[in-house]
Amino acid sequence: MSIWWSLHLRRDAASVPLARRLFLGTMETAGVDPDVCYDLSVALSEACANAVEHGGSLAGSEASGAYRVTAYLDGEKCRIEVADSGPGFPSLKGRSLTRPAPDHAENGRGLCLIRELADHVHFVNKPGRGGAVVSFDKILKWKKDAPLVAV
């Protein structure tokens, strides 16, 4: 069984719980284990919050005030991608994007959380027009009576 969906969302804080609820509904309906659903939904929320906060256009205009969430359930794996049209990650070379934030910092823990909750994580900058892509995947566990379990 394969399922995929994609959302095009405004860079607005209200879009984060919307994406999370849609994702959770899909995963629960498919019969994915609740612990796996929770881990992935927290990681998704962090990736969306990052896109909302940092994913503005390169020129600073509101014309590209959107981001995209795509989720793929394919067999025993779920992959989630969150892509924005902002300036991208400041530097992917020589700097850890998942270095823990200082204790006194009010933010900066989202990418670390994603890394802890998912099995594989990729942070890339889109070539050309710019933007960042956070993608992560996790091996799925299914409930005993899962209606859409992979066979």
Side-chain angles (χ1 to χ4, degrees):
M1 167 68 56
S2 293
I3 301 170
W4 75 270
W5 54 260
S6 186
L7 300 170
H8 186 80
L9 300 164
R10 290 181 63 191
R11 281 186 46 242
D12 184 278
S15 69
V16 176
L18 173 63
R20 182 177 175 147
R21 285 185 197 118
L22 287 169
F23 176 76
L24 277 172
T26 301
M27 299 292 275
E28 289 169 355
T29 301
V32 175
D33 177 79
D35 291 337
V36 173
C37 290
Y38 179 78
D39 287 352
L40 284 170
S41 71
V42 171
L44 172 63
S45 295
E46 293 297 333
C48 291
N50 193 64
V52 167
E53 185 173 344
H54 304 291
S57 70
L58 289 170
S61 71
E62 290 301 314
S64 59
Y67 66 101
R68 188 187 76 242
V69 175
T70 306
Y72 308 89
L73 277 72
D74 191 18
E76 297 296 317
K77 183 170 82 171
C78 176
R79 168 159 287 216
I80 298 172
E81 295 178 1
V82 177
D84 64 49
S85 58
F89 293 108
S91 172
L92 291 175
K93 297 178 183 172
R95 178 177 166 218
S96 174
L97 290 174
T98 57
R99 185 178 310 139
D103 290 340
H104 63 278
E106 292 186 27
N107 54 26
R109 292 173 182 80
L111 298 180
C112 292
L113 266 171
I114 294 168
R115 175 103 46 215
E116 290 298 317
L117 294 169
D119 294 330
H120 299 97
V121 181
H122 305 281
F123 306 110
V124 297
N125 289 329
K126 293 189 289 187
R129 296 183 310 180
V133 179
V134 175
S135 63
F136 51 95
D137 56 64
K138 190 167 184 80
I139 300 299
L140 297 174
K141 294 178 189 170
W142 299 90
K143 291 191 271 184
K144 189 175 185 179
D145 58 346
L148 299 179
V149 69
V151 182

